[in-house]
Amino acid sequence: MDKMKARVGYSYVPIQRMDRVYSPAKALMAGTIFPELNITIDEYERGLFNGK
């Protein structure tokens, strides 16, 4: 019996630009250095995660 080599899934990870980043203190409070990743779960679920 031959085993099929199935791919489980693919991920998409956009390249983060370092032109806009939080200060170290603000990054610790936000949990990220990238402002475009600092969104609420409600914004994410509604598809408002485009960095604006």
Side-chain angles (χ1 to χ4, degrees):
M1 183 185 246
D2 291 316
K3 292 185 178 182
M4 296 180 71
K5 292 184 179 181
R7 294 186 175 139
V8 184
Y10 294 94
S11 64
Y12 170 72
V13 181
I15 296 172
Q16 296 295 322
R17 296 184 183 187
M18 297 296 288
D19 56 345
R20 288 185 357 162
V21 294
Y22 286 147
S23 68
K26 188 166 184 177
L28 283 173
M29 295 296 292
T32 179
I33 64 169
F34 302 109
E36 60 267 12
L37 297 180
N38 189 14
I39 61 172
T40 65
I41 190 66
D42 183 52
E43 290 169 328
Y44 180 80
E45 288 175 347
R46 290 185 292 140
L48 303 176
F49 49 91
N50 59 2
K52 293 184 180 178

